[in-house]
Amino acid sequence: MTFVRRAALCSLLVAITVLASSSTQAQSSINWDSLQKEAVELFVQYLKIDTTNPPGNETRAANFFAELCKREGIEHQVFEPFPGRGTLWARLKGDSSQRPIILLNHTDVVPHSPEFWSVPAFSGQIKDGFIYGRGAQDMKSVGLAQFMVMVALKRAKVPLKRDIIFLATADEEAGGLLGAGWFAKHHPELLGKAEFLFNEGGSNMVDQNGKVLAVGVGPSEKTPAWLRLTATGEPGHGSIPRPNSAVNRLLRALNRLLDYSPAVQLTPVVEQSFKALAPLLPPDLAAKYSNLREAIKDPAFARTLESDPGAKALTRNTISVTMLNGGNKVNVIPPVATAEIDTRLVPGEKLDRWIAELRDVIKDDSVKIETVLAFEANASPIDSDLVKAVADVVQRRYPGAIISHPVLAGFTDSHYFRVLGVHSYGFSPFVAPGRELGGGFHGNDERIGQKAFADGVKFFYDVIERLAK
Ligand SMILES: [Zn+2]
């Protein structure tokens, strides 16, 4: 996923809530050293489970969590709507005076190329302070941290106002239809009209000296509009060219799309995300980020901003041509040619409007446009109790850090829940300078710093306790 900057409303940072004394008691009954050590051990076990998607085999991960739930006496259920593609649901009951919180994580991981790894990808090896394994970043680390939060709350018998629902789902790396999508559609009753959801997609900023500059609470993401273009034309022998062949029509259509630059569309959530970063910038740039709508009218600033592909992607719809299919013999002019294009829409954009815009660009009604995959793009509010809870904990834990509101250029499973009215946020509890955080997201030698991971379990606990107690 690609992250970009956002704006934190300073007012969110003003209200610092000191932990109530009862909270301190609950905390004191948790032995954090031993819980963090246990978290690392369980994380290593979890990383050893191969849930490469395809094919997935996420039932293995669901059963792993189910066994742990049994041991802890936590209510749970494994669903396997498709063979091998299990999803686990678990719940800690609160007193229902407030609506539930969902801790969402996906258990599948992307494939890897063993020849580029220095350790086996499912060995869970710990080396030089890093825990290695496919999923160490994306996102078994977050999933296990979420689970340990639930375990800690249960063991310490923390009284909760809200149910805590832990959802470890299959299939996110292939779009989530068999995991989070299936669950949200078939078992909304088990979500208990949740108010909030934590998911992947957060990003934090820490300088080289270890000073925490920003903790991200991501309220939104761009949405995919994957489209298939189909051109038809008269087939024939390659020796007699046909100007309006299927392939030629398709190429003309694609060329028009490649030459086309969709207009800048600043959505409120993207403006907020830039504005939140202003406190971290030198005054001249801070003024521009604080009022992006005005600043972007200056062509020099717009050029600078758009020289960053990540920033550019957030301020407009984008088009990437990714798949082409024409004839299968060099001397045959085929009757049909297709292309698939990965277009991404700014939050709030309407699919029908966008397709109409593309039709105008292509200027050839004989080229059909079909939707392969598209979701509604929603945003969650940045002044919610969840954001305030994170801000409170951050202010105590990392004084002076701001709350940023990254909007993802990519997408996660959060959209399945935002359409149900659940305010959903990207949040990473792992806060460390890059060199201590690890890396290899979807790449080689995926790893996370052991200390960053262990600290993250405690940080996440503090946030959830603040919000649910
Ligand atoms: Zn992920």
Side-chain angles (χ1 to χ4, degrees):
M1 274 167 296
T2 311
F3 312 116
V4 179
R5 337 307 131 127
R6 39 331 307 317
L9 297 185
C10 296
S11 60
L12 293 181
L13 298 172
V14 175
I16 302 168
T17 306
V18 177
L19 276 179
S21 58
S22 56
S23 154
T24 309
Q25 280 162 14
Q27 293 244 359
S28 64
S29 67
I30 298 171
N31 178 337
W32 278 103
D33 277 352
S34 102
L35 193 103
Q36 285 167 312
K37 198 162 157 265
E38 183 183 356
V40 170
E41 285 162 9
L42 290 175
F43 181 38
V44 165
Q45 286 180 34
Y46 186 25
L47 284 174
K48 289 182 179 175
I49 302 171
D50 182 350
T51 48
T52 304
N53 182 11
N57 290 317
E58 298 93 335
T59 300
R60 297 168 177 171
N63 288 340
F64 167 78
F65 282 121
E67 279 304 310
L68 295 175
C69 285
K70 249 181 247 165
R71 191 184 79 182
E72 300 295 327
I74 294 172
E75 177 188 15
H76 66 282
Q77 208 174 333
V78 172
F79 296 84
E80 196 180 44
F82 310 94
R85 313 305 302 273
T87 281
L88 174 123
W89 168 93
R91 177 170 61 190
L92 276 190
K93 286 295 280 178
D95 68 11
S96 299
S97 58
Q98 293 189 32
R99 289 158 62 198
I101 303 169
I102 300 169
L103 305 178
L104 176 68
N105 63 96
H106 65 83
T107 60
D108 60 324
V109 297
V110 294
H112 73 288
S113 307
E115 65 272 30
F116 297 112
W117 281 60
S118 64
V119 301
F122 296 101
S123 63
Q125 277 191 38
I126 301 182
K127 204 171 70 165
D128 303 327
F130 289 94
I131 307 169
Y132 282 70
R134 178 53 95 217
Q137 293 279 340
D138 183 15
M139 66 173 290
K140 284 180 169 172
S141 48
V142 181
L144 205 280
Q146 291 177 344
F147 187 77
M148 293 312 289
V149 168
M150 200 169 57
V151 167
L153 290 167
K154 172 88 163 66
R155 289 183 189 168
K157 300 189 174 61
V158 177
L160 299 170
K161 293 195 185 103
R162 305 172 181 273
D163 291 0
I164 308 289
I165 295 167
F166 175 81
L167 203 51
T169 63
D171 196 40
E172 191 275 344
E173 297 292 358
L177 281 171
L178 311 185
W182 179 87
F183 196 91
K185 184 169 174 197
H186 294 275
H187 289 287
E189 80 286 359
L190 292 178
L191 303 176
K193 297 204 176 354
E195 182 170 15
F196 295 122
L197 178 147
F198 285 92
N199 189 17
E200 64 181 333
S203 59
N204 308 314
M205 296 170 69
V206 183
D207 75 12
Q208 283 308 308
N209 301 318
K211 181 173 167 42
V212 180
L213 304 175
V215 171
V217 184
S220 190
E221 47 198 47
K222 288 186 78 180
T223 189
W226 294 350
L227 306 175
R228 182 181 301 118
L229 308 189
T230 303
T232 49
E234 201 182 341
H237 197 280
S239 61
I240 312 287
R242 295 175 193 275
N244 283 326
S245 73
V247 170
N248 290 356
R249 280 182 191 277
L250 183 69
L251 289 178
R252 280 196 287 268
L254 292 175
N255 268 322
R256 290 188 181 118
L257 290 178
L258 293 181
D259 288 341
Y260 181 62
S261 181
V264 168
Q265 286 192 67
L266 281 187
T267 55
V269 73
V270 168
E271 287 185 84
Q272 285 164 5
S273 85
F274 279 88
K275 188 174 174 185
L277 291 176
L280 301 177
L281 300 170
D284 54 330
L285 209 51
K288 290 185 160 53
Y289 271 50
S290 295
N291 191 351
L292 197 64
R293 191 165 290 274
E294 272 309 306
I296 209 159
K297 291 177 185 165
D298 168 9
F301 174 74
R303 270 197 305 279
T304 309
L305 186 73
E306 299 209 332
S307 64
D308 171 357
K312 183 173 182 180
L314 287 183
T315 55
R316 59 181 79 218
N317 298 337
T318 57
I319 304 169
S320 292
V321 178
T322 50
M323 296 169 77
L324 291 171
N325 200 353
N328 54 12
K329 197 163 185 315
V330 69
N331 61 350
V332 174
I333 296 173
V336 67
T338 62
E340 290 194 16
I341 61 176
D342 179 356
T343 75
R344 302 289 177 119
L345 312 184
V346 295
E349 173 66 287
K350 293 280 174 258
L351 180 66
D352 290 352
R353 196 212 65 75
W354 171 238
I355 290 179
E357 182 177 330
L358 295 184
R359 281 192 205 291
D360 282 350
V361 174
I362 290 172
K363 291 191 181 68
D364 184 346
D365 290 341
S366 73
V367 176
K368 268 196 341 188
I369 304 180
E370 295 164 275
T371 303
V372 177
L373 177 89
F375 306 123
E376 202 176 310
N378 293 317
S380 299
I382 61 164
D383 59 353
S384 65
D385 286 346
L386 180 147
V387 179
K388 288 173 188 161
V390 175
D392 285 350
V393 175
V394 165
Q395 197 65 342
R396 272 190 281 124
R397 198 177 168 95
Y398 308 115
I402 63 163
I403 301 299
S404 64
H405 299 292
V407 175
L408 283 185
F411 67 97
T412 69
D413 279 341
S414 289
H415 65 92
Y416 291 120
F417 301 88
R418 285 200 179 104
V419 294
L420 298 179
V422 184
H423 296 328
S424 304
Y425 300 87
F427 173 73
S428 169
F430 309 122
V431 185
R435 64 178 180 281
E436 293 170 24
L437 200 55
F441 192 102
H442 284 215
N444 303 325
D445 272 348
E446 187 173 350
R447 64 201 179 280
I448 187 168
Q450 182 171 341
K451 182 173 184 311
F453 171 75
D455 288 349
V457 175
K458 174 71 166 65
F459 179 26
F460 217 155
Y461 176 90
D462 288 348
V463 169
I464 301 298
E465 194 206 49
R466 175 78 188 78
L467 188 57
K469 200 172 139 76

